[in-house]
Amino acid sequence: MAAVQGGLVDAVEKKDIKTEPSEDSGGNNNANDGRLLSPPPGSSASAPGGNKPPAGAPEDQQTLLAVLQFLRKNNLAESVEILRREAGLPEDALDLKAGDSAGAGSGGAGGTVDLEGEDASSLLSRVTVSSSAAAQAPTKGRTGLLPTKAVEDQPDVNVVLSAYSQQGDPALYGVYYSGLKRFIESVLDCHRAELSQVFYPLFVHMYLELVYNNHENEAKVFFEKFSGDQECYYEDDLRVLSSLTKKEHMRGNETLLDFRTSKFVLRISRDSYQLLKRHLQERQNNQIWNIIQEHLYIDIFDGMPRSKSQIDAMSGSLAGEAKREANKAKVYYGLLKEPEIELPLDDEDEEAENEEGKPKKKKPKKDSMGSKSKKQDPNAPSQTRIPLPELKDSDKLDKIMYMKEATKRIRLGPDNLPSICFYSFLNAYQGLTAVDFTDDSSLIAGGFADSTVRVWSVTPKKLRKVKSAADLNLIDKESDDVLERIMDEKTASESKILYGHSGPVYGISFSPDRNYLLTCSEDGTIRLWSLQTFTCLVGYKGHNYPVWDTQFSPHGYYFISGGHDRVARLWATDHYQPLRMFSGHLADITSTRFHPNSNYVVTGSSDRTIRLWDVLTGNCVRIFTGHKGPIHALAFSPNGKFLASGATDGRVLLWDIGHGLMIGELKGHTDTIYSLKFSRDGEILASGSMDNTVRLWDATKAFDDLETDDFTAATGHIHLQDNSQELLLGTYMSKSTPVIHLHFTRRNLLLAAGAYNP
Amino acid sequence: MAEERRPKQCTVVLPTESMKAMAESIGVGQLQEESCVALSEEVSYRIKEIAQDALKFMHHGKRRKLTTNDIDNALKLKNVEPLYGFQSQEFIPFRFASGGGRELHFYEEKEVDLSDIINTPLPRVPLDVSLKAHWLSIEGVQPSIPENPPPAPKEQQKVESTEPLKVVKPGQEEDGTVQGKGQGATAADGKGKEKGLIRLKPRSTHELSVEQQLYYKEITEACVGSCEAKRAEALQSIATDPGLYQMLPRFSTFISEGVRVNVVQNNLALLIYLMRMVKALMDNPTLYLEKYLHELIPAVVTCIVSKQLCLRPDVDNHWALRDFAARLMAQSCKTFSTTTNNIQSRITKTFTKSWLDEKTQWTTRYGCIAGLAELGADVIKTLILPRLTVEGARIKAVMEGPVVSNIDKIGADHVQSLLLKHCASVIAKIRPQPDNVEQYRIDYGYLGPMLCSHVMKARTQAALQAQQVNRTTLTITQPRPTLTVSQSGLSGSAGPRTPSIIKVPSSLTLMSPRPGTPSQPSPPATKYIVMATSAGPASTQQVITLSSSQSASPVTSTVPSATSTLQPLVKLESGSGPGLTGSRPMQKYIVVSLPSSASSSLENKSSVLPTSISSTPIEAGMKLDRSESPGASTQSPH
């Protein structure tokens, strides 16, 4: 697994730099700039280096050269200067002596790191680690050389961990920590909340350092003494941490790797940061300072420090908040969405009118339905940004049906709540794990823990298979009702069972044209089933671990999947290999959804972040933090502007995709939220949860309130009012039936589904 | 909460003994202590890791309960072969036993006779998954249909009736439902208005919709009508329908008025119908009747003690109605009696008062005794037993004296059999053996001899039951409930005492014996037996003695492994010191928790065995406890 995520993430990022210089390297430079705001702790370099391993002088120098070279390549002139001074190298040494290896490096494949020669690769792995960890020369000199030769099976882990081989009196850790705590408690109120953010990452890293250096008892004492201070939403991670008491445990522990490989991001105002820095320097508190330097990424902003509630709203993820850059640089990508789905519709509409010559009423209706204009929305991606499948005749017919239904749609609002029809699965003792409805609500499919998939027809029209090939030969292909004739009446039944998976089926999705069904399972495969023949067509293998969720694109053809291996994959139905792999999450991907315009996908993860990915480039364009538990439900608003997410913490969070901001928090559920759905016009948000309730929320109001607010997009600081109670329009208890799927029919009737658990 | 849990998490490690035991099981003897420590730490860590992964599978499986399959899947993630053979979703088939300082985990594998399996008819095929649709909400209002939960949950009804002030507070469950009901106008408004609405709510809820009115009419007609099938259906509806909350006041009034009228008219049949309605209302799990007790209780009490309930008292069986109503009364006492309303004590006083009255008629007398007797053994012991002599004399006067009237005679006869029925079982519990007719006559007067024979019968029956229980019980250390029953070796106890324990491991952690008195078994628990007997093997084998016969001990025979090590699974322990209370030389405790049907066998059997003398203070204390409050002990296993 580590091969996929773990230590390689850094290296992967490096590669990204090469391919996407505009953004990621920018971010990287920023990272280093942030680092450089503080004077390099050169003084501390002389601090104990007791267990520095005897490294051969030539090798040492070679390493330094490689570092220098890397820094120079990334235009980090200042760092180069410092490092060179520290190492006492002549100015030209780099140019002359490093020439050969550098040549190999930069010459080969445009400087891709991993194409270096055998020898250099081990060096460069160090370079990668140290530099990405904002490793300046001093730290390097103190610690970085310890791991040297990579261990065979998991080189990254050792490299990663080596940074923990700090020296320092283990007994003093508690003193340091409580010293800092005293300081932070004594600062002005406005800074205290911000600086308190430091506690958790600091606590974790100090604890890990103690464990790594085999100070088991001290670590235990430290943990017991201070774990109670941490915010309650870190409880899950602390639980993992608490079981980790030996150095041996660290190898292969994912949580630990996450912590180490990804720097914990804090957003702190400049004033507060200065305060902290001054304090630490005055006290000569190098231990803490080093940790902050090495393992934390402090995103400094100018302006008012944030309040406790503002911080709490955004924190909770495994690796701190998102960097502002992560959500900022791509703002123009963000608002691309809207009318793309409408535009073809309009075309369709016209065609339909031409074909049928009748539906005149639709037009005004169409306008009123929230599409801003029929012109190209400036925020929308171009039609051809990603190639979409051409519409077939049957699709066009379906669109017409859709339009017809849409005219009969009930307009929902706080005064006009939808009716809810609940589909209970009875006798589902084997465990219902996933449900999906077709868009026209004619079919319902359930995935079960016993590996079966069942499809029901909820209309009087029964499910029929296509006749066998031999029988098909006998059919008169010219007849008008050929489509009817190919069906085998004998197989008509209300439900069909699909066998094929070898583990619980965790995700299920109908294709928009109702011809296919997609399921993903614990067995690591995604299967495509034909709803004409009720057989399995393809098994997509790629995830080696359980696949937690999958979904078809709203335009068909593409689908997205995500699972335990932390990589989301984008597939096309006619390719057996994924088209895109989206990696970056630090823990399992628990849910995946397509944006209505099919240009973006969103993934929610156990690392408590949500990421939005661009299908075209494969880049992560948004990172949303704020949930305090694994995210199990995601839903885009129909206009594509907003995203709703639900997690095990029982809260629904609302996000503005364009601005990359959290814009609302809906509290009320008492257990994991497994399903979210916007009504067809986006006026109502329905949420279904493990607590056996369906709740309806006033989405219009939630989004309106925001627009009247002056947007603090620049800072990204949000003031959330606690207005959940006002937005809650209704709570409907089911009888011990967890709600695991919700669906609005085209006429805005809400369908809910779950298994009855007596 | 997190703060409290965390430090513990830090320290939970498997005991090293487990490592030793496991090592032994695979043939590694003499594992060093350090190795054990290292191993146990490592194993604990890995187990935690796996548990954390398994949780993921639980979440994705949309469950709240971790199953063995989740563990299997988590193991698969780690590339570890899953554990085969742990298929059951419900429980882990480990059994645990201990005794004599040895602890043992084992699988329970019963020998199965194949021919039995072949010969039994095939079980019914479980039903297939099916889909059922219902309306959870219609335009924002949740309809009251059986598929939906009751509109006002019982808890809320209880809160409303006991603590009306609490209900007024906003922000409870209410918000959703209230808004749902008063949708439209209120939903859009802010919080302030909602508060007002909640305050108003009780007023509006007493209006019945047309459908409800129809329903009410149909139901009440069916309940008192002539068609028995219809009545059964109506009662069934009352007992199960979740949406009756709103109609409760009407039903209550209907019943109370009905009783008032029909008592005057001596219409026995209708009274019975009405009592059945009360019973059905009480059986409905979604209703909380407390608010209507002021109407219901007088009606019920009337049916118990009324002088005349039927037109022909000599022929009609109004006694059954009295019994039935008395049971209802007892049930409502049990359910609704609180320190504030004192229902039980008030009812008891009422009954006692009219019973003590010399002029009370036999019918009323019967009702009073029945009402008291149903309240439990405690009441019988303190109120009825002391009066047996007086009552006996009264009965004797009627039965053997000059014939007064047939009605009196019938009444006296019924009172007599009622007294015998209820008192015998209580006496059997509190009176030591042997049962001497003469002694009984002295103690209880006229009723003595009859009581004596009834008591003996009761004892035999109890013994039989207990033995049956025993047979089923021995296999039982069910893993789920954690019951720790042990006898504390209090300093005063005579003789060496090893704690005899049936312990039930709730998890992998091993528990060590800890002193304590028998705790009350938790509700879903199965059966446990803890016995304390004297040391002699012969006496240990008596489970419950009437005849002192020495049957083969089911204890040792069902668990052969235990016999071989001379450590019975259920340790029968001895306290063979000098008896402090000579009269009860030996105690046997049988703590049995069974579904309530078997509760009668729960009583402490104190058997007098002339051969063995042993009793420890604690045992005597416990014994005393129980005999003082048999009522309490009988209720415990519910």
Side-chain angles (χ1 to χ4, degrees), chain B residues 28 233 567 608:
Chain B
V28 180
E233 216 171 292
Q567 293 294 345
V608 183

Side-chain angles (χ1 to χ4, degrees), chain A residues 482-496:
Chain A
V482 65
L483 286 179
E484 197 53 32
R485 288 192 184 196
I486 59 170
M487 307 310 286
D488 188 354
E489 262 330 302
K490 285 193 294 264
T491 59
S493 65
E494 270 177 19
S495 79
K496 293 259 186 262

Side-chain angles (χ1 to χ4, degrees), chain A residues 246-475:
Chain A
K246 290 213 178 306
K247 188 175 173 182
E248 297 81 64
H249 295 163
M250 295 175 101
R251 174 174 305 178
N253 185 303
E254 294 150 22
T255 314
L256 171 86
L257 278 173
D258 295 338
F259 223 92
R260 187 54 200 91
T261 52
S262 56
K263 287 197 286 176
F264 200 93
V265 181
L266 302 171
R267 270 192 223 173
I268 292 184
S269 69
R270 188 174 299 281
D271 292 348
S272 306
Y273 179 70
Q274 296 292 356
L275 214 60
L276 178 70
K277 198 169 80 177
R278 207 175 314 131
H279 167 76
L280 290 176
Q281 278 170 350
E282 274 168 16
R283 296 292 173 86
Q284 294 284 304
N285 206 338
N286 294 324
Q287 207 72 39
I288 287 180
W289 186 243
N290 288 336
I291 290 176
I292 291 179
Q293 290 276 299
E294 283 171 42
H295 305 308
L296 269 51
Y297 175 93
I298 297 187
D299 193 0
I300 297 166
F301 62 85
D302 295 305
M304 287 286 290
R306 293 187 296 169
S307 70
K308 174 88 177 133
S309 64
Q310 281 175 320
I311 292 168
D312 279 349
M314 299 294 289
S315 56
S317 118
L318 198 62
E321 296 181 38
K323 298 172 191 172
R324 268 175 307 156
E325 285 76 20
N327 285 340
K328 211 193 223 164
K330 297 107 187 175
V331 168
Y332 37 63
Y333 286 124
L335 268 179
L336 301 174
K337 345 283 154 179
E338 283 166 43
E340 212 243 322
I341 196 170
E342 257 91 35
L343 280 177
L345 267 185
D346 280 347
D347 299 343
E348 246 355 87
D349 205 359
E350 251 106 52
E351 279 177 48
E353 280 176 46
N354 293 340
E355 278 168 22
E356 296 200 342
K358 140 191 164 227
K360 279 196 178 136
K361 273 192 282 180
K362 282 166 205 158
K363 278 233 154 165
K365 187 70 197 169
K366 194 82 200 61
D367 288 334
S368 66
M369 277 193 327
S371 68
K372 293 262 158 59
S373 70
K374 287 179 200 138
K375 303 284 173 298
Q376 175 80 8
D377 186 297
N379 292 319
S382 70
Q383 286 308 353
T384 53
R385 188 159 177 272
I386 62 163
L388 292 173
E390 298 221 339
L391 286 177
K392 292 181 297 226
D393 286 348
S394 59
D395 297 330
K396 289 176 182 167
L397 279 174
D398 194 51
K399 298 272 185 213
I400 293 166
M401 277 305 295
Y402 176 82
M403 301 304 302
K404 279 187 186 162
E405 293 269 322
T407 58
K408 296 176 187 159
R409 181 181 296 163
I410 299 165
R411 241 181 127 64
L412 298 177
D415 301 337
N416 203 0
L417 294 177
S419 299
I420 308 172
C421 181
F422 202 106
Y423 283 92
S424 306
F425 286 76
L426 304 177
N427 309 317
Y429 303 112
Q430 65 271 62
L432 177 70
T433 43
V435 179
D436 195 30
F437 287 94
T438 52
D439 187 66
D440 67 350
S441 319
S442 63
L443 302 177
I444 180 170
F448 292 85
D450 66 356
S451 324
T452 57
V453 177
R454 288 161 196 257
V455 185
W456 280 267
S457 166
V458 292
T459 57
K461 202 176 152 197
K462 298 203 165 170
L463 301 174
R464 295 170 300 175
K465 288 184 189 175
V466 172
K467 286 180 181 163
S468 68
D471 291 338
L472 283 177
N473 267 334
L474 304 176
I475 292 175

Side-chain angles (χ1 to χ4, degrees), chain A residues 227-228 243 246 249 253 419-420 422 424 426-427 433 454 506 588 671 674 690 725 728 732-733 735, chain B residues 3 6 41-42 45 56-57 59 62 64 128 130 132-134 136-137 139-140 142 146 149 175 179:
Chain A
S227 65
S243 63
K246 290 213 178 306
H249 295 163
N253 185 303
S419 299
I420 308 172
F422 202 106
S424 306
L426 304 177
N427 309 317
T433 43
R454 288 161 196 257
Y506 289 120
D588 301 36
D671 209 330
Y674 279 118
M690 195 71 192
Q725 288 306 318
L728 181 63
Y732 305 98
M733 262 313 249
K735 218 174 189 176
Chain B
E3 282 73 17
R6 266 181 232 144
E41 280 179 6
E42 177 69 14
Y45 172 72
K56 279 183 192 167
F57 286 94
H59 276 300
K62 275 103 180 166
R64 280 206 196 85
D128 199 12
S130 62
K132 185 170 190 299
H134 71 268
L136 186 66
S137 143
E139 296 184 349
Q142 188 161 26
D175 289 18
Q179 283 191 348

Side-chain angles (χ1 to χ4, degrees), chain B residues 491-511:
Chain B
S491 53
S493 69
R497 306 182 55 86
T498 40
S500 81
I501 296 154
I502 297 178
K503 273 181 306 163
V504 184
S506 60
S507 65
L508 283 178
T509 39
L510 306 177
M511 296 191 294

